[in-house]
Amino acid sequence: MPDTSAHHPENFTFKEKLQYTLLGLVVIGGSFYLGRSLIRKAVSTTEERNTFIEGNPAAYAQQIRMAFENNGWWGVDTQSLRQILVAIPSVATFKKVMTSYQRLFNRSLMMDMKQDLKTTEYNEMLAILSSKPARGTTVQPVQLTAQQYQSWAQRLKAAFDRPYGPFTYADESAIQAVVMEIPSQGAYKQLGLVYKAMYGNELDGDLRYALSFWEYPSIQKMITDKPS
């Protein structure tokens, strides 16, 4: 009597061969996915240990993510995000922050910024980053370069034009952040020249127009209290 307990591969029908092939692909694919997930988990766990080290790129990445999550409240905590980006000392460090963010959360930092921020907020954050030196691990005193003046002008313009439905409003905290960085009245006057060259308007005029009558005096006092 012929042995029918084993089904020799040569006797498989085309349908059976196709089924076994697909099954093999599923097993291989599942193993690959599981392996990749385990690797990602291990990388994330290793990176999480660095979030407790002040000044480490992972710590900045964690703080940025917390600003995005905003304790569960609607929108992004832009004030915290602004402070974090200002504290990052250089472009090289920010690149490490982006890498760490990807490792921690398996997400693109720049894509999250673009998706979660309003256009003017996004432009403000880019302007903050654009003024940073290429390298360095500590925040340096403000250097009054053309790039720095352009960055301040871009940040102020973005702060003046925050969208609110069909209208715009001024983000006072963003304006204050810029004014606090300006070291002197002379630097503010130079900023006014750069602002006019970039946008065709007087900085003082836009500042007065954007702010309410009770906000403008406090900003103006911050400027006039600076050394000449």
Side-chain angles (χ1 to χ4, degrees):
M1 179 180 294
D3 183 8
T4 59
S5 60
H7 197 17
H8 197 278
E10 293 180 357
N11 298 325
F12 285 172
T13 65
F14 174 77
K15 181 178 179 180
E16 289 174 325
K17 290 179 180 179
L18 182 60
Q19 288 174 337
Y20 279 112
T21 300
L22 292 175
L23 178 61
L25 290 174
V26 169
V27 171
I28 293 172
S31 299
F32 174 77
Y33 178 79
L34 178 60
R36 186 174 63 175
S37 298
L38 291 173
I39 291 172
R40 282 179 176 172
K41 180 65 176 177
V43 169
S44 177
T45 301
T46 301
E47 199 71 13
E48 283 175 2
R49 298 192 187 102
N50 295 326
T51 62
F52 300 101
I53 304 173
E54 185 177 356
N56 189 282
Y60 288 127
Q62 179 70 57
Q63 292 165 8
I64 289 172
R65 186 62 194 167
M66 291 172 66
F68 285 144
E69 293 174 348
N70 197 14
N71 289 323
W73 291 92
W74 181 83
V76 177
D77 184 351
T78 53
Q79 192 164 352
S80 293
L81 179 60
R82 181 184 304 115
Q83 292 171 349
I84 296 162
L85 295 185
V86 167
I88 294 174
S90 65
V91 173
T93 301
F94 182 70
K95 289 180 179 178
K96 293 178 181 178
V97 173
M98 289 193 293
T99 300
S100 182
Y101 190 92
Q102 180 72 42
R103 289 174 176 169
L104 284 168
F105 309 111
N106 194 29
R107 300 174 65 90
S108 165
L109 171 54
M110 297 308 296
M111 187 62 68
D112 279 356
M113 285 178 60
K114 191 171 184 179
Q115 290 178 346
D116 293 349
L117 296 173
K118 298 174 183 176
T119 300
T120 52
E121 293 170 340
Y122 181 71
N123 290 340
E124 178 197 354
M125 303 309 165
L126 290 184
I128 291 173
L129 295 170
S130 71
S131 66
K132 296 187 178 298
R135 291 177 175 79
T137 56
T138 57
V139 177
Q140 300 298 317
V142 171
Q143 303 295 314
L144 297 178
T145 62
Q147 188 177 24
Q148 180 63 73
Y149 282 115
Q150 290 169 3
S151 172
W152 281 333
Q154 290 167 344
R155 289 169 62 185
L156 285 173
K157 181 61 174 172
F160 293 157
D161 297 335
R162 290 284 195 263
Y164 186 78
F167 307 103
T168 60
Y169 72 97
D171 186 337
E172 186 183 7
S173 64
I175 296 170
Q176 286 179 342
V178 174
V179 172
M180 288 176 64
E181 293 177 22
I182 300 171
S184 65
Q185 294 183 46
Y188 178 77
K189 290 178 182 177
Q190 181 62 32
L191 173 59
L193 297 176
V194 174
Y195 184 91
K196 185 172 184 178
M198 292 176 67
Y199 302 110
N201 295 337
E202 297 289 344
L203 175 56
D204 283 334
D206 278 3
L207 190 64
R208 185 185 294 272
Y209 178 79
L211 294 171
S212 60
F213 70 89
W214 65 85
E215 292 172 333
Y216 178 76
S218 63
I219 297 294
Q220 188 64 24
K221 188 175 187 304
M222 289 175 64
I223 297 168
T224 56
D225 283 349
K226 294 180 182 295
S228 301

